[in-house]
Amino acid sequence: MFKHLAVFLSLFAVLGCNSPKDDSIYFGGKIINPKSDHVILYAMEKAIDTFFLDDENKFIGKVTPVKEGLYYFNHGVENQYIYLEPNDSLMLRLNTWDFDESLGFSGRGADRNNILIDCFLENEKNHKAFYKLNRLKPNDFKKKIDSILEFKTNTYERYLKEHPNETSGFHNILNIALKYPIYSRIERYPIAHSKYSETKHEQNLGSDFYNHRKGISMDTDSLMYYPAYAQYIRNYLYNLTYALGYEPMNNEYSSAFTEDLLKIIDKNISPKKSKNAFLKQTVITHFYRKSSCEINKGAFDTYFDLSSDQDDIDLVRKMLIDNNAILKGKKLLDFNLYDYTSAKHNIQEIIKRKNTFLFFWNPEYVSPMYIASRMNYFSNKFPEIQFIQVRIDGKNTKKIHKLDIKNQYYIDAKSEANNFLSSKMPRSIIINKNGIVENGYASISSSKVVRQLKELTNK
């Protein structure tokens, strides 16, 4: 089950035959088809070191001091989690054309990180299989899940037996990596199964259906950044909210559902940092899912009552102020922007007599790769609409590859457009050929946006 790869002799020549005697780690490797000239190592959300690639696309560096625990590294627009301990000398090798599938480790600390990436890939591989399991009746579903969990337990115990020197900290992470994705599926089952059931929300699940909850703590801030753990907590919170009596919601969540979910987050998550992060993510995600400039006031009021992070609160307030600065049924505010030759243009000339989808983006919140994927999909589906991408606080070197350069622009900090982009968060504006705003806060990630674009073509 575990990956193996050859040691990079040239890199280990730097390290010598003996492991470091202090609490440092050596971290390095080789990037095939690199997307940038560096790799960044993070602890939670904090960047702790940057490693630059040499002429052979290799890197290596010493990090000190290092506490045992989860970290992640970033290259280009992708990242992956690793578990580091003092005295590790961890080397990676990956091909960006197949990032996760090609990733493997060697050196001190390699075995524990190879099994973590195997857990990740196994979960990705089995994603579709669980859609079929959701069709099963509760008892049959539980039997299948118990069988999968037994296999995961055997994998866990076999690894510990073969690696007796692993720490209790890694024991916990490995248990999460193996089992929590399955626990997430259990929490999703009631709503997912309701699509195939005569009853809209299955309630007769049996007394032992949620037995896994007994062994789960939600009071660890550091784990909230680990996807396997965070996804389970998220599914658990949504399941608790649906259990209040809500029916499945496909396109958007009602204001009442969002308010109850925010209250459940407040009740069940104790650490302030994690609680505030979940609260902010929920209220913003649900707003974007609406793909509309209409505000669920009750949901935002509940958020402001429950959050204790002033920076988060200020960000959300700016988003609401931005929303009110562009009104449906009115003409778009006038502003200038620049193309990637640094030539200045007026927005009214760009949108004149054309149905337009205007997308403002910020790499802090959305990746260029995702933008390219969505914009190419939209433009192929709706060739009669022009799709314009505008980078917030951009420069003439920061364009999106795989998109037509003629449709890409940027605004600087002095642009009048900042009057409705003060939050710096992504924003889509749909404008008809008469220059009238049809939707002041559409969202490229919402399932509703295709219908909205189709309606634009019929005007």
Side-chain angles (χ1 to χ4, degrees):
M1 175 179 181
F2 310 132
K3 293 182 176 180
H4 301 281
L5 70 158
V7 173
F8 303 139
L9 296 178
S10 60
L11 290 174
F12 279 118
V14 177
L15 302 180
C17 299
N18 298 317
S19 299
K21 298 301 183 183
D22 57 19
D23 288 339
S24 305
I25 64 115
Y26 283 92
F27 178 55
K30 181 177 176 67
I31 309 291
I32 301 169
N33 300 309
K35 298 298 184 182
S36 69
D37 65 351
H38 62 276
V39 172
I40 305 176
L41 183 65
Y42 290 84
M44 296 178 70
E45 286 191 316
K46 183 180 179 181
I48 60 174
D49 213 333
T50 300
F51 310 93
F52 290 92
L53 305 184
D54 63 17
D55 293 341
E56 296 180 330
N57 297 326
K58 298 176 182 178
F59 71 96
I60 189 167
K62 180 180 180 181
V63 184
T64 183
V66 172
K67 294 182 179 179
E68 176 187 347
L70 276 171
Y71 295 75
Y72 71 90
F73 68 90
N74 171 276
H75 177 74
V77 298
E78 300 199 64
N79 62 68
Q80 189 53 261
Y81 280 78
I82 54 179
Y83 194 91
L84 297 178
E85 296 177 8
N87 297 327
D88 276 353
S89 53
L90 186 67
M91 302 295 139
L92 65 82
R93 182 182 178 92
L94 68 85
N95 187 332
T96 63
W97 290 354
D98 205 8
F99 194 98
D100 297 314
E101 288 79 1
S102 70
L103 178 61
F105 299 94
S106 61
R108 183 187 288 273
D111 283 353
R112 77 176 85 97
N113 285 293
N114 280 326
I115 192 173
L116 289 183
I117 192 66
D118 283 338
C119 290
F120 172 83
L121 293 174
E122 186 72 15
N123 184 47
E124 292 292 299
K125 177 183 176 182
N126 292 333
H127 185 71
K128 291 183 179 180
F130 275 91
Y131 286 109
K132 295 180 180 179
L133 294 185
N134 288 331
R135 295 175 178 269
L136 299 176
K137 294 292 185 181
N139 287 340
D140 295 329
F141 175 83
K142 189 66 166 57
K143 289 178 182 178
K144 288 285 187 181
I145 288 295
D146 287 345
S147 176
I148 295 171
L149 286 173
E150 182 179 4
F151 175 78
K152 300 291 186 181
T153 298
N154 291 337
T155 300
Y156 174 80
E157 292 176 349
R158 183 171 66 252
Y159 181 87
L160 265 56
K161 183 178 180 180
E162 295 172 356
H163 300 79
N165 295 324
E166 293 288 12
T167 66
S168 60
F170 181 70
H171 293 178
N172 184 41
I173 294 301
L174 179 57
N175 183 62
I176 291 171
L178 284 166
K179 298 180 182 178
Y180 278 48
I182 312 304
Y183 297 159
S184 290
R185 304 294 182 180
I186 298 174
E187 298 290 350
R188 284 181 58 86
Y189 171 81
I191 292 301
H193 178 68
S194 67
K195 299 177 182 178
Y196 314 108
S197 175
E198 294 180 359
T199 58
K200 291 187 176 181
H201 189 180
E202 183 68 59
Q203 296 291 339
N204 300 318
L205 300 175
S207 59
D208 63 343
F209 195 81
Y210 295 118
N211 272 352
H212 63 275
R213 292 178 177 177
K214 298 175 183 177
I216 290 177
S217 169
M218 293 190 289
D219 293 335
T220 309
D221 259 335
S222 61
L223 288 177
M224 290 298 182
Y225 294 88
Y226 189 41
Y229 182 86
Q231 186 60 56
Y232 169 75
I233 299 300
R234 188 175 297 112
N235 286 358
Y236 168 70
L237 296 168
Y238 273 80
N239 195 14
L240 290 183
T241 308
Y242 272 115
L244 296 176
Y246 289 100
E247 299 299 342
M249 301 178 197
N250 295 320
N251 293 325
E252 64 181 88
Y253 295 105
S254 68
S255 183
F257 182 92
T258 303
E259 290 175 51
D260 280 334
L261 176 56
L262 292 171
K263 292 172 184 176
I264 282 175
I265 293 170
D266 180 61
K267 180 180 178 181
N268 287 274
I269 306 294
S270 298
K272 284 188 177 181
K273 188 171 184 178
S274 295
K275 178 186 294 190
N276 288 328
F278 270 105
L279 290 171
K280 181 180 75 168
Q281 180 193 48
T282 298
V283 75
I284 291 177
T285 300
H286 287 202
F287 172 68
Y288 273 96
R289 187 163 177 167
K290 282 170 56 65
S291 191
S292 168
C293 50
E294 297 178 1
I295 295 294
N296 287 337
K297 186 175 183 299
F300 283 99
D301 286 344
T302 300
Y303 167 76
F304 292 131
D305 287 341
L306 297 178
S307 177
S308 60
D309 188 309
Q310 193 57 50
D311 289 338
D312 288 353
I313 291 172
D314 290 344
L315 175 69
V316 174
R317 289 196 188 281
K318 284 180 179 179
M319 187 181 73
L320 296 181
I321 293 171
D322 290 343
N323 179 71
N324 292 331
I326 298 289
L327 300 177
K328 181 178 179 180
K330 302 291 184 180
K331 280 190 172 290
L332 182 67
L333 299 178
D334 196 27
F335 62 91
N336 293 321
L337 65 173
Y338 299 88
D339 65 26
Y340 280 84
T341 67
S342 298
K344 183 186 289 188
H345 301 266
N346 183 270
I347 188 60
Q348 298 300 334
E349 290 300 318
I350 294 173
I351 67 173
K352 190 175 182 179
R353 293 189 292 274
K354 297 177 183 177
N355 287 331
T356 302
F357 186 89
L358 197 59
F359 179 63
F360 297 89
W361 66 282
N362 180 342
E364 182 178 349
Y365 297 105
V366 59
S367 74
M369 184 182 298
Y370 180 71
I371 297 170
S373 173
R374 295 299 284 167
M375 290 300 161
N376 283 324
Y377 169 75
F378 292 149
S379 59
N380 289 332
K381 192 173 184 66
F382 301 101
E384 62 274 37
I385 299 174
Q386 71 166 347
F387 292 87
I388 303 296
Q389 301 89 47
V390 183
R391 177 164 174 155
I392 301 171
D393 293 345
K395 296 180 180 179
N396 63 1
T397 59
K398 300 294 184 179
K399 58 182 179 293
I400 302 175
H401 299 291
K402 298 184 180 180
L403 284 179
D404 191 341
I405 191 65
K406 296 191 299 295
N407 294 327
Q408 296 189 57
Y409 300 85
Y410 65 92
I411 58 172
D412 58 23
K414 298 179 181 179
S415 173
E416 298 90 340
N418 290 298
N419 292 328
F420 57 84
L421 296 169
S422 65
S423 72
K424 308 300 182 184
M425 295 185 66
R427 179 170 190 173
S428 303
I429 301 174
I430 299 177
I431 308 153
N432 67 30
K433 58 188 175 183
N434 297 316
I436 303 300
V437 174
E438 294 287 342
N439 187 343
Y441 228 119
S443 171
I444 64 171
S445 61
S446 171
S447 61
K448 297 174 66 176
V449 73
V450 171
R451 175 173 56 81
Q452 293 166 348
L453 291 172
K454 187 175 181 179
E455 291 173 353
L456 179 65
T457 63
N458 295 328
K459 289 186 179 291

